[in-house]
Amino acid sequence: MSVVVEGARKEFRARRGARVMALDGVDLEAKPGELLVIVGPSGSGKSTLLRVIAGLEPLDAGRVLIDDRDVTGVPAGRRDVALVFQEAALFPHLGVAANIGIGERARGTRRRDVESRVREVARVLDIEPLLTRMPTELSGGERQRVALARAMIRSPRVCLLDEPLASVDTELRLRMRGEIRAVQRSLGVPMVHVTHDQVEAMAMGDRVAVMAQGRVLQCDIPAEVYARPATTAVARTFGPLPMNLLPAVDGVVTGVRPERVRVNRSGAGRAGTVAAVEPAGEECLVRVDDVLARVPMADAPHPGEQVVVTWRPEDEHHFDAETGARR
Amino acid sequence: MRRWPLAAPYLAGSALLVLVPLGLAAALAFTDYFGFRAPEFTGADNLTRLAADGTFWDAVGISAFVAAVVVPLRLLLAVGAALLLARRRGARTAVGRAAAYLPSVIPDAAWALLWLWILNPLYGPLPALLGVLGVPDPGFLTTPWGARLGLVLVMTFQVGEAFVVALAARLAIPARLHEAIEVEGGSPWFAMTRVTLPLMAPIVLVLAVRDMVVVVQNAFVPTLLVTDGGPANATLTAPLLIYRRAFEYGELGYASTLSVTLLVLTGIAAALPLWLAARLAAHQRART
């Protein structure tokens, strides 16, 4: 079971006539059993891509294949796709059990059969006590679990998640990452997960597709995207901290991760003044002129201090100043 | 800061225009009053007369019939138009929305006179159209049931306000709920009956209560201008009867009795949809 998107193009006309390329030639594949995370800033086209796969948005050009079958013209309801919405999209007038079972009811399954399926899925996700409640009586995390149950109940060919953890608090988000992974493994189907959270993308994805302005800039395993970003845009956006990109010299932009920058009181390197120091637990973020560095709290300099920043030559990344592409 | 003074204009207005007249009417209901002499207290005499007043109960029956037919039709039209015209923006939707609202802009009297022409047996376009189609003419202004049908037609199409409210209720439903049903493979019928209408239900309920009151009251203008209560009192609705008692026979005391009775009956009838809705909501919550 797999999902393939080929040459996807989608143009929106904004209110005042301006055209926006939501998808500008996107090629992407989610392999069988894979969790593919699509990450990018808002307006990058990642949600549109998800809606295109679900069949909620028609393409201007290109095609979508699910299990090697061209479903480009197939309506959403016959693609056998499960979609978990941001904010869960629970039906406020229905109880939790009815919310989980509504898809089965929509497809014409008998009420009694749906009830036993609902109990089964609720047991797996450990939300049985919630079944008799109304959506307004649930916390953010519980709502998302119910939404996951609704996706699981149909054994879909593909599972799509649209920022499911955006409205969940930090502690629960950590736990739910694991739950989503578990659901995905138990379903054994490709899961496409859209998020703007870089950390979440790194933590969860088997592979990560970084999107900006309607294009996929890079698609690879998270470690590789982090170690070898394909463009300056990926370098700036992917990872816990944006990569330092130094002014171009002879058409080449040099980049270095803040984690690899060392701040010394003396010695060789770029001399500069400490502009700001932000404590971040065991470590702190130090801005020296235009270079960001992450150093142990014990070595933290004071704002205004004269320091020297250095890094090893092998920690440097080089990009073309014109195109932004990696060299 | 105490906030109740902000409600003072409203309280003063409703006291002067609603509560005081209502209290006076309730008081007059127990008197003999023709407008020339001071009201004369007569105890339960008016109620005794009311109980035996066949004309009034017939009129209540006609009002109930009109409301029972017209209110569902009006809600169907208003909600149906709202569902059809909710989708996308564009010229066609704009024209459709304007057309749905337009009948409500026309003053009631002008609307009634327009229908007097439409239904006219001699040169009215509707009887003529029915003749062309080979449908027998029910005699819109000439037979009892034809006149009642005519009254229903006059009262059905002025649903602009209800349409606007229903449209707002429809547009308040988040699009992702419908998309969720779409992805799950639910039919449009399933989406409408299990999602759209249940979520609009509280608003439709308010519209039903309001419409019931409005229809009973508003039957006055068309019955006065189009059918004049006839033929043979077939469209003599309760408000028209009360009007005649008060201002043609001058029996202001007894007319007050009838008014207050109609108010109580309308109140009981308006509670019906509320009760029904509570049952439906409970049923909806309980099942899978």
Side-chain angles (χ1 to χ4, degrees):
Chain A
M1 294 198 246
S2 66
V3 187
V4 177
V5 177
E6 287 178 358
R9 280 180 190 284
K10 176 76 189 174
E11 194 181 77
F12 284 115
R13 196 165 301 186
R15 250 292 169 77
R16 301 259 174 257
R19 289 174 176 195
V20 181
M21 269 297 199
L23 297 179
D24 191 2
V26 169
D27 296 294
L28 203 66
E29 180 183 6
K31 294 174 181 136
E34 178 180 58
L35 201 164
L36 176 67
V37 177
I38 302 175
V39 63
S42 54
S44 60
K46 57 190 193 302
S47 281
T48 306
L49 181 58
L50 204 69
R51 293 168 60 81
V52 161
I53 297 172
L56 292 172
E57 209 76 70
L59 277 174
D60 294 339
R63 35 184 223 151
V64 178
L65 293 98
I66 295 177
D67 292 354
D68 302 322
R69 188 169 71 103
D70 189 339
V71 295
T72 314
V74 176
R78 285 198 265 129
R79 290 191 183 191
D80 220 350
V81 161
L83 176 54
V84 176
F85 288 82
Q86 199 173 349
E87 318 277 347
L90 301 184
F91 298 95
H93 61 298
L94 298 175
V96 167
N99 262 289
I100 296 173
I102 195 166
E104 291 299 311
R105 294 288 297 147
R107 287 183 290 278
T109 312
R110 283 211 316 268
R111 180 164 284 139
R112 191 183 298 169
D113 299 341
V114 174
E115 273 168 17
S116 63
R117 278 289 288 149
V118 166
R119 269 196 297 277
E120 211 176 297
V121 174
R123 192 161 45 239
V124 173
L125 282 174
D126 202 20
I127 53 172
E128 276 174 301
L130 305 183
L131 285 179
T132 52
R133 291 213 214 148
M134 295 301 285
T136 45
E137 299 163 345
L138 303 179
S139 69
E142 288 168 340
R143 293 171 65 86
Q144 283 306 346
R145 278 205 193 96
V146 173
L148 275 177
R150 189 161 80 195
M152 272 181 79
I153 196 171
R154 74 183 297 188
S155 342
R157 286 171 193 277
V158 189
C159 190
L160 307 173
L161 307 175
D162 188 6
E163 307 231 13
L165 303 180
S167 56
V168 175
D169 63 52
T170 316
E171 190 193 341
L172 194 60
R173 197 179 310 159
L174 286 174
R175 193 134 48 85
M176 288 207 61
R177 280 183 200 160
E179 282 182 26
I180 290 175
R181 289 246 49 167
V183 166
Q184 188 250 344
R185 263 187 226 110
S186 76
L187 287 174
V189 299
M191 190 178 254
V192 181
H193 178 154
V194 160
T195 180
H196 67 268
D197 184 338
Q198 308 291 331
V199 182
E200 193 175 297
M202 280 193 95
M204 291 180 70
D206 290 321
R207 283 191 309 147
V208 186
V210 183
M211 280 190 78
Q213 291 169 329
R215 292 163 196 255
V216 174
L217 302 177
Q218 190 172 9
C219 182
D220 213 324
I221 59 171
E224 182 64 17
V225 178
Y226 182 74
R228 298 173 52 80
T231 69
T232 47
V234 176
R236 250 199 327 269
T237 57
F238 192 77
L241 293 171
M243 184 183 282
N244 292 304
L245 295 171
L246 304 176
V249 179
D250 299 331
V252 177
V253 172
T254 299
V256 58
R257 294 266 174 212
E259 295 86 341
R260 299 294 172 95
V261 176
R262 271 172 293 173
V263 179
N264 300 326
R265 266 32 178 216
S266 58
R270 284 166 63 97
T273 315
V274 176
V277 179
E278 278 181 29
E282 296 292 309
E283 293 171 314
C284 64
L285 294 180
V286 180
R287 183 170 287 285
V288 181
D289 296 336
D290 54 351
V291 176
L292 196 63
R294 191 155 87 175
V295 301
M297 206 59 197
D299 301 343
H302 302 290
E305 207 175 318
Q306 295 296 315
V307 293
V308 178
V309 290
T310 62
W311 52 80
R312 295 180 305 173
E314 59 265 39
D315 290 337
E316 283 186 358
H317 303 254
H318 298 285
F319 304 95
D320 190 295
E322 198 123 328
T323 63
R326 187 179 190 85
R327 289 203 162 193
Chain B
M1 194 188 92
R2 277 184 299 176
R3 274 172 292 186
W4 72 264
L6 295 177
Y10 167 77
L11 292 175
S14 51
L16 276 173
L17 299 173
V18 180
L19 295 177
V20 170
L22 191 63
L24 287 176
L28 283 178
F30 298 95
T31 65
D32 217 353
Y33 181 46
F34 292 91
F36 302 110
R37 278 176 299 161
E40 201 179 308
F41 182 72
T42 54
D45 279 7
N46 282 344
L47 293 179
T48 319
R49 183 179 166 192
L50 171 77
D53 188 347
T55 324
F56 175 70
W57 294 110
D58 285 348
V60 167
I62 291 165
S63 279
F65 165 77
V66 170
V69 176
V70 169
V71 170
L73 279 178
R74 283 168 61 92
L75 289 177
L76 198 70
L77 265 184
V79 174
L83 294 184
L84 287 175
L85 296 170
R87 277 257 169 111
R88 56 200 141 252
R89 304 172 165 278
R92 272 187 300 174
T93 306
V95 170
R97 288 178 182 180
Y101 189 73
L102 214 53
S104 298
V105 179
I106 301 171
D108 286 353
W111 179 259
L113 292 174
L114 179 71
W115 279 91
L116 188 58
W117 171 71
I118 293 176
L119 300 175
N120 191 291
L122 297 179
Y123 47 80
L126 189 57
L129 180 70
L130 292 179
V132 170
L133 294 175
V135 180
D137 179 1
F140 285 117
L141 301 173
T142 51
T143 66
W145 283 104
R148 286 172 191 147
L149 181 61
L151 187 56
V152 165
L153 286 176
V154 178
M155 299 202 62
T156 297
F157 296 97
Q158 285 183 302
V159 291
E161 283 88 5
F163 161 71
V164 169
V165 173
L167 183 64
R170 167 63 187 81
L171 295 180
I173 301 174
R176 60 178 190 275
L177 293 185
H178 286 105
E179 288 173 354
I181 292 295
E182 197 182 335
V183 171
E184 296 284 3
S187 63
W189 174 255
F190 184 89
M192 186 177 80
T193 53
R194 293 302 302 278
V195 179
T196 316
L197 291 179
L199 286 174
M200 287 171 71
I203 305 286
V204 174
L205 173 68
V206 171
L207 288 178
V209 172
R210 171 191 168 278
D211 232 45
M212 202 173 277
V213 175
V214 166
V215 162
V216 168
Q217 296 299 323
N218 283 8
F220 175 69
V221 174
T223 47
L224 184 72
L225 294 178
V226 182
T227 62
D228 197 23
N233 286 352
T235 59
L236 183 62
T237 55
L240 183 60
L241 176 74
I242 293 168
Y243 169 79
R244 284 185 176 171
R245 281 272 168 241
F247 302 109
E248 287 180 16
Y249 305 145
E251 297 176 294
L252 294 173
Y254 184 54
S256 296
T257 315
L258 301 184
S259 281
V260 173
T261 309
L262 185 63
L263 177 77
V264 171
L265 291 176
T266 310
I268 293 170
L272 208 85
L274 292 171
W275 173 80
L276 192 70
R279 300 255 343 227
L280 269 175
H283 180 66
Q284 187 93 47
R285 274 154 191 257
R287 74 177 187 178
T288 312

